[in-house]
Amino acid sequence: MVSKNQIKLITSLQQKKYRATHGLFIAEGFKVIQELLQSNFELHHLFQTEALFDAVPRELKSLISPAELSKISALATANNCLAIFRIPKVNPIKERGLIVALDDIRDPGNLGTILRMCDWFGVDQLVCSKETVDLYNPKVVQATMGSISRVKVSYVNLLQWLTQAKLPVYGAVMTGKNIYKEKFPKEAIIVLGNEANGISPEIEEVIMNRITIPRFGKLQQTESLNVAAAAAIVLSEFCRNQD
């Protein structure tokens, strides 16, 4: 059974200010929860409609009805399990390997998908501007499909951080060098911009290397690529075509 206080807490965690206040976030679905349980994330409590996680201590889990799960779920159609985890402390950023930096990404699905792209291509650090959507937004957590447990995400004053960075900075823009004709270093920072406006002018000023994904369509009328799709292409080229 889910108490009224538990319902109040869980539903409040759909908002960033309450996640920050309690230091907690929610995750839904067997795969995401399983990945988090196998990582360094600390479980606060697990709610499930059937016995799915035998290894979780009895005091940290509750068996509830599908109707009760629907009351606390952030999904349009509730899954069969929901877990509350503690938000971990983030360690300082280490300038090594490839680092993806996001300038004001607003769509939760895009952030979650980009995080999965980072995981796929072996990028273990993602740096976000403070305006970027919150990592622990339930929709972001869901979209990561468990990759949230393997990629470290930091929120910083992006302009200040890039200005002080020692690694070469690359930016995906509409007018830059053809990405398919370039050689790339094994260590670099790759900046991706806002869904509607791209990289902000102040951030673009500190980008040393401007790269673009050329259009191949005959009409050349497509305005831009989805930022998550662009992330996949850029990371693929960086991993494939290195000096």
Side-chain angles (χ1 to χ4, degrees):
M1 182 176 178
V2 188
S3 69
K4 288 183 179 179
N5 285 339
Q6 286 175 321
I7 293 174
K8 184 178 179 180
L9 169 64
I10 295 165
T11 54
S12 75
L13 296 179
Q14 295 182 29
Q15 298 182 50
K16 182 179 179 179
K17 64 178 180 179
Y18 292 114
R19 292 194 292 271
T21 298
H22 297 291
L24 301 169
F25 72 98
I26 59 175
E28 300 192 57
F30 180 81
K31 177 175 174 54
V32 177
I33 293 173
Q34 184 181 49
E35 295 266 14
L36 291 172
L37 288 173
Q38 293 172 347
S39 70
N40 294 325
F41 281 86
E42 181 183 351
L43 177 67
H44 179 73
H45 203 82
L46 169 68
F47 298 90
Q48 53 188 353
T49 59
E50 53 187 302
L52 297 169
F53 301 96
D54 295 335
V56 174
R58 183 179 300 176
E59 66 273 13
L60 291 180
K61 60 186 178 184
S62 300
L63 193 63
I64 63 174
S65 70
E68 288 177 308
L69 186 62
S70 293
K71 289 182 180 179
I72 59 176
S73 175
L75 302 176
T77 302
N79 215 303
N80 54 4
C81 49
L82 178 150
I84 307 173
F85 289 92
R86 298 193 184 279
I87 295 174
K89 292 182 179 178
V90 179
N91 296 320
I93 302 164
K94 295 181 180 179
E95 285 197 45
R96 65 184 183 194
L98 292 178
I99 300 174
V100 172
L102 302 181
D103 180 19
D104 194 19
I105 299 301
R106 297 299 180 94
D107 183 84
N110 282 336
L111 177 55
T113 302
I114 290 169
L115 198 144
R116 287 178 67 190
M117 293 299 104
C118 288
D119 189 17
W120 181 269
F121 287 103
V123 176
D124 60 8
Q125 293 187 100
L126 180 63
V127 178
C128 300
S129 68
K130 292 183 177 180
E131 296 77 24
T132 294
V133 63
D134 182 34
L135 172 66
Y136 297 106
N137 178 307
K139 292 181 180 178
V140 175
V141 176
Q142 194 73 16
T144 70
M145 294 299 290
S147 290
I148 190 174
S149 65
R150 291 181 290 274
V151 179
K152 187 182 78 173
V153 181
S154 304
Y155 285 79
V156 299
N157 179 319
L158 190 58
L159 178 61
Q160 185 180 66
W161 180 74
L162 289 173
T163 302
Q164 298 172 350
K166 296 178 176 62
L167 292 178
V169 179
Y170 287 77
V173 296
M174 292 299 293
T175 54
K177 293 182 178 179
N178 186 333
I179 192 171
Y180 300 119
K181 297 181 178 179
E182 293 297 302
K183 291 285 187 180
F184 298 110
K186 293 182 179 180
E187 296 191 313
I189 298 166
I190 305 166
V191 183
L192 300 169
N194 175 269
E195 291 89 343
N197 303 311
I199 298 172
S200 59
E202 59 269 25
I203 296 294
E204 196 167 342
E205 283 186 10
V206 301
I207 290 174
M208 308 169 195
N209 307 280
R210 297 159 56 91
I211 53 175
T212 191
I213 302 167
R215 291 177 291 191
F216 290 95
K218 290 182 179 180
L219 297 179
Q220 301 283 300
Q221 290 180 352
T222 307
E223 287 187 6
S224 63
L225 278 176
N226 170 274
V227 65
I233 295 169
V234 171
L235 285 174
S236 177
E237 286 302 302
F238 263 83
C239 292
R240 183 187 71 85
N241 204 11
Q242 293 180 345
D243 285 328

